[in-house]
Amino acid sequence: MKFSITPFYLICILLLLISCNENQKNKTSVIKNFKTKSYLDIKLDSFGHLPSNPYIIKFEKKEKSITFCGVEHLTDNRDVTNKMFQDIEKSFLKTNPSIAINEGGSVDGKKYSSKREAILKDGEIGLLKYLSDSLKIKTVNGDPEIDYELKELSKLYSKKEFLTYIITERLLWSLYDSKVTNYDSIVSYYTKFLANYIIKKGKLSLSPNEKTFDYFKKNYQELVGRPFEINSLKPTNPFDKNGKFQEIGRKSKEIRDQFLLQKTNELLKTNNRVYIVFGGWHLLTCEPGMHQIINQY
């Protein structure tokens, strides 16, 4: 029997070969949803402490590596000789990274005259930027822009719910730490925060009523279960399964976790050694995804 290949089968073979070649090329393509560990499944002590500060895990395969330096944020950056800063520097220089990822927004325009100044002004974020500049490598923001986060939260919660969480977490805690207790001062900071962070950067429309501090206080009492008082703020606890406020906080962190994993995956394609400094809880939840990323190589 004489065997011949028809044009149809020839096209099919060619398409199969092209597909196999593309699959090989895209071996490190972006995975849409990385694995994470639930905050409710993380085992920490009653104070939420990491096993060490910093807590560092290195993920390696072939020439690729991800060094994730998880930290417990200090309340006073004046402690410039704290062992946390010393260990970050030691780990960073030993790793000799190709690129770094920081928490808390872009630091592109920031320059520091000394390591001490970097720590005093911006803690571990400043130290990471200072060390990155010393190696002439780029420092990339590993947090999503606020408009992205608000858009994702709005898919799950009402505006008053996610706004109450964001305002409490991103503004009022900083006022609490800075000992700002005067009511008029709080309202002034609140008004500026809404205008610049929520409306301008967050691209969120608010009605005149939604802009008032009374609107926030009403929603805070409904969501948290007690009247707002700056001196009685309690930390958001993502490990507490009870309460809508804690749930929103947990979801906010999960959104940021997924963004960090996507950013790490993207940067590792063109950089062999990625160094990350982030809050330590993010390391514990992102660990499965980091393994997933490195195992592509």
Side-chain angles (χ1 to χ4, degrees):
M1 178 182 293
K2 186 177 180 181
F3 180 77
S4 62
I5 299 177
T6 65
F8 172 77
Y9 285 110
L10 181 60
I11 291 171
C12 289
I13 292 170
L14 287 172
L15 288 174
L16 180 61
L17 290 172
I18 291 170
S19 175
C20 290
N21 188 46
E22 287 301 312
N23 285 338
Q24 184 64 30
K25 286 181 182 177
N26 295 329
K27 193 175 180 181
T28 57
S29 61
V30 172
I31 298 171
K32 297 300 182 184
N33 290 297
F34 289 98
K35 296 175 183 175
T36 56
K37 189 171 185 178
S38 170
Y39 282 86
L40 297 178
D41 294 332
I42 291 177
K43 305 301 181 187
L44 296 170
D45 65 23
S46 58
F47 297 100
H49 289 317
L50 300 170
S52 62
N53 188 28
Y55 183 53
I56 302 172
I57 298 180
K58 191 169 187 178
F59 308 85
E60 295 180 278
K61 191 169 183 185
K62 298 180 180 178
E63 76 281 5
K64 299 285 187 179
S65 72
I66 306 163
T67 303
F68 198 134
C69 182
V71 303
E72 290 182 25
H73 304 296
L74 302 183
T75 56
D76 189 353
N77 291 330
R78 290 175 296 180
D79 185 12
V80 295
T81 61
N82 191 284
K83 188 176 182 295
M84 182 188 83
F85 298 126
Q86 297 175 20
D87 288 350
I88 290 172
E89 181 177 11
K90 181 179 178 181
S91 167
F92 181 93
L93 296 176
K94 182 179 179 180
T95 301
N96 189 30
S98 313
I99 198 163
I101 302 178
N102 69 276
E103 185 176 14
S106 174
V107 293
D108 275 349
K110 295 198 173 186
K111 296 289 181 183
Y112 307 99
S113 61
S114 67
K115 180 171 61 179
R116 177 183 175 83
E117 180 192 18
I119 294 172
L120 283 171
K121 286 186 175 179
D122 293 304
E124 70 275 1
I125 297 173
L127 175 61
L128 180 64
K129 179 62 163 62
Y130 177 81
L131 294 172
S132 298
D133 286 349
S134 73
L135 295 186
K136 295 181 170 56
I137 65 170
K138 189 172 178 59
T139 314
V140 178
N141 179 25
D143 267 325
E145 297 297 335
I146 184 59
D147 60 325
Y148 174 88
E149 185 178 354
L150 294 182
K151 183 178 179 182
E152 292 301 303
L153 287 172
S154 70
K155 296 175 182 177
L156 301 167
Y157 305 104
S158 68
K159 185 189 291 185
K160 67 180 184 179
E161 288 175 332
F162 68 75
L163 266 183
T164 301
Y165 168 76
I166 292 293
I167 292 166
T168 304
E169 190 73 6
R170 308 279 163 84
L171 169 69
L172 296 174
W173 268 110
S174 66
L175 299 184
Y176 176 90
D177 289 338
S178 301
K179 306 292 191 281
V180 177
T181 57
N182 178 270
Y183 185 82
D184 290 338
S185 296
I186 293 172
V187 173
S188 177
Y189 279 110
Y190 170 86
T191 302
K192 293 174 184 175
F193 180 82
L194 284 191
N196 297 323
Y197 191 70
I198 299 297
I199 298 172
K200 185 177 179 180
K201 291 184 178 179
K203 300 175 184 176
L204 191 69
S205 297
L206 298 178
S207 69
N209 179 55
E210 289 171 334
K211 294 178 183 178
T212 65
F213 194 58
D214 284 340
Y215 176 80
F216 164 77
K217 289 193 299 178
K218 177 177 179 294
N219 295 331
Y220 180 92
Q221 181 157 358
E222 288 180 4
L223 197 62
V224 181
R226 60 178 179 272
F228 168 77
E229 290 290 344
I230 191 73
N231 291 322
S232 64
L233 283 182
K234 294 181 180 178
T236 305
N237 182 4
F239 312 113
D240 184 357
K241 65 181 179 180
N242 299 315
K244 179 61 71 72
F245 191 82
Q246 312 297 356
E247 178 192 324
I248 299 170
R250 192 159 49 246
K251 180 55 65 177
S252 168
K253 287 176 172 55
E254 289 170 0
I255 291 168
R256 294 173 60 211
D257 287 341
Q258 197 60 230
F259 187 89
L260 174 60
L261 287 164
Q262 295 284 357
K263 181 63 68 176
T264 303
N265 185 59
E266 173 191 327
L267 293 175
L268 196 61
K269 292 178 184 178
T270 53
N271 298 273
N272 282 345
R273 298 177 305 282
V274 177
Y275 195 91
I276 304 169
V277 176
F278 246 70
W281 294 347
H282 295 284
L283 168 55
L284 301 180
T285 56
C286 288
E287 185 176 355
M290 292 295 168
H291 283 295
Q292 196 178 358
I293 292 169
I294 202 70
N295 285 336
Q296 296 175 100
Y297 295 92

